[in-house]
Structure formats: C-alpha cells, structure tokens
Amino acid sequence: MGYHNIDLLLFDRWFYSKEIIMSLNSISNYLIFVRKDSGIKRELESMEMGEKKIKLHEFSMYRDGKRITAYIAFLKRIFDHKTEEYYDWAFATNLKEVNLDEIIGKYKIRWRIENMFRGQDEATIKSKSLNINVRYFLYVYGQVLEAIWYLYFSEEMCFKRFIIELSEACSTMVNK
C-alpha cells in the first residue's frame, strides 16, 4: 500500500489566523475560507459583480515584527447553481497560481466531507449497552449502511435521505 501526497489542505473560516497561516506556509498548500471582516468586506464592495482577483496580503506578527504573506482570493457575487443564489467569497492560500474558476469547487469538497460526517452522526444507532459486542455490531452495521449508500445511492441522494427512506421502507414492511 503506497502513500498519497496531500495536494491541498482545506479549512473553514475559524482557522483563518496569522499563526495558522505562518505554520501552514512551510508545511503544505492550503485554502482557508476567510471570515468577512471589515477589510474583506471593503475589498469585496469595491469589486464588480462576477469579478475575481488575487491580492498578496502581508501579516505582521506581534512583538517580533516578523512578517508573513498569504494570497487572498476575492470572488464577488458568484452564482451558485445548487442554491440559485449569488455569494461573495474570500480565501487565503499560499498557492502562487490559483484557478479562480475552480477554487469554490475545491473548497466545497470540505463541505461535502463535513456534511457526510454530520449525516453519519445523525444516523448512528444510539446504545447505552456496556457490552462491547453489541456496541461493535451497531458500529459495523452503520458502516455497512454507509458502504451500501456510497456504492449504490450516493449519486442519487445524500446519506441522510438514504437513511430516512430506508427507515420508511423498513417500517412499511414491518407494518404489513
């Protein structure tokens, strides 16, 4: 079994800090969704609808005066086909060349992963049993359900919808 390189680390807005950026700059490529503070809002307000640009941003560290840099990608009023809404986006990255037409799609991968974990948590069968065999069985059963969803239904519906429909189908069969 071989190792795979991680091409890009994806972070949500709560990881946008100069300390984290300083650490990441020397470790790996990253993409951080940026909180829209007053400076970010001001920059986005100065842009035209659909405009995309990258600016080099310099941070100064506290007392030592050390300076670090990150690129900030700004995307103004970008249409999201799924929600049929327009959104403003800002990302911090250390990538020197960023394809602004693909950056939102790359970031949404993180959302899909997070939503999948949220769905798994909701579908977890709760047990107060102290018997490890019962707990292990329930865990494995949940993993089997997830595997069935991934292999056969993931293109058609989200995991949560799959669990709801499976539950309804089982209830119908039991009530017959």
Side-chain angles (χ1 to χ4, degrees):
M1 182 153 105
Y3 294 97
H4 298 280
N5 290 331
I6 297 173
D7 296 325
L8 186 65
L9 298 173
L10 304 170
F11 295 93
D12 73 9
R13 71 185 99 220
W14 306 113
F15 288 90
Y16 179 62
S17 76
K18 53 188 164 187
E19 293 82 10
I20 290 175
I21 288 173
M22 183 175 74
S23 298
L24 291 173
N25 274 340
S26 61
I27 296 173
S28 181
N29 294 330
Y30 62 85
L31 186 63
I32 304 173
F33 187 52
V34 174
R35 287 187 303 269
K36 294 184 185 88
D37 63 18
S38 59
I40 299 296
K41 286 180 183 176
R42 213 174 16 257
E43 188 68 40
L44 287 164
E45 286 169 1
S46 73
M47 297 170 61
E48 301 290 324
M49 183 171 175
E51 185 179 350
K52 302 170 188 172
K53 67 181 174 183
I54 297 178
K55 292 181 90 174
L56 185 62
H57 184 72
E58 195 170 72
F59 299 91
S60 64
M61 296 307 284
Y62 302 105
R63 294 182 187 106
D64 63 7
K66 184 177 181 179
R67 302 187 81 63
I68 58 169
T69 59
Y71 294 98
I72 307 291
F74 297 93
L75 299 92
K76 174 74 173 181
R77 305 273 301 151
I78 305 301
F79 185 72
D80 181 14
H81 295 284
K82 187 172 183 179
T83 63
E84 297 185 351
E85 299 281 336
Y86 288 91
Y87 297 100
D88 294 339
W89 299 84
F91 299 98
T93 185
N94 62 344
L95 297 172
K96 291 176 180 39
E97 293 189 24
V98 178
N99 184 336
L100 295 178
D101 294 324
E102 295 178 359
I103 195 169
I104 296 170
K106 285 183 185 268
Y107 183 73
K108 283 187 174 186
I109 291 169
R110 192 197 68 76
W111 280 350
R112 284 196 296 270
I113 293 167
E114 194 167 304
N115 287 337
M116 187 176 79
F117 282 124
R118 190 176 301 122
Q120 286 174 333
D121 286 346
E122 290 177 11
T124 300
I125 301 169
K126 310 290 189 256
S127 172
K128 293 184 180 184
S129 174
L130 298 178
N131 183 330
I132 192 66
N133 293 324
V134 170
R135 296 176 71 83
Y136 182 68
F137 171 79
L138 294 174
Y139 169 77
V140 171
Y141 182 74
Q143 296 303 301
V144 169
L145 287 177
E146 186 180 341
I148 291 169
W149 166 77
Y150 182 77
L151 292 171
Y152 301 106
F153 300 98
S154 62
E155 297 292 320
E156 301 168 31
M157 65 182 79
C158 68
F159 185 66
K160 184 176 181 177
R161 169 60 43 207
F162 170 73
I163 294 299
I164 290 169
E165 290 189 15
L166 181 64
S167 173
E168 289 170 355
C170 290
S171 293
T172 300
M173 289 190 301
V174 167
N175 293 331
K176 282 188 175 184

